[in-house]
Amino acid sequence: AVALPGQPIKANPNIEKMMNAATDEKLPIIALCHAPTLLSAVTMNVGGGKREAINKGIETASLPPFEGFVGLTGRKEIQFTYDVNTHDAMEATGGRTSVLKDIAKMSRVVKQEKAGVLIYTGPGPQAAENLADATIEALKKRWR
């Protein structure tokens, strides 16, 4: 996903096609760190022929706005050539996020369901173990 200043975030068309196929099949979505931002860049079918951003109307966790700080400390990975405040991008498409909750508990997992799709998110690498357990739970729920 790419965001230019003052413009909404856009997904690569190939990623969008893959995400559309996944949501159409009601596959669980598991997203960590920057990945939940993709939920604001891709739409899903919510019934009645209506499509909307995957994250619209649900709560998600995502990486707190640390990009500027990481850049100032010289630890920013070269592949990250732009700064995106994930929470701002997600709120712009009608999602609910909490920077304070994500900073206070970087290991948290937010579990939501939308139009029959399980959507589990975590704010950063500290949530990986909890998100792995939640992924197993989501897979069991999906395929009982």
Side-chain angles (χ1 to χ4, degrees), residues 54-131:
I54 294 171
N55 74 311
K56 184 175 182 178
I58 64 168
E59 180 184 0
T60 57
S62 67
L63 182 70
F66 294 148
E67 291 90 342
F69 173 75
V70 172
L72 289 174
T73 63
R75 295 179 292 157
K76 189 172 185 179
E77 298 287 335
I78 195 165
Q79 69 268 25
F80 296 112
T81 57
Y82 58 90
D83 290 334
V84 174
N85 181 316
T86 59
H87 292 81
D88 287 349
M90 296 176 82
E91 288 174 2
T93 55
R96 296 189 316 270
T97 66
S98 174
V99 172
L100 294 178
K101 286 181 184 178
D102 289 339
I103 290 172
K105 190 171 181 189
M106 290 289 290
S107 62
R108 81 189 195 111
V109 171
V110 177
K111 300 175 185 178
Q112 296 285 285
E113 184 172 344
K114 180 174 181 176
V117 176
L118 298 173
I119 303 168
Y120 293 2
T121 57
Q126 299 86 340
E129 185 175 347
N130 294 338
L131 200 55

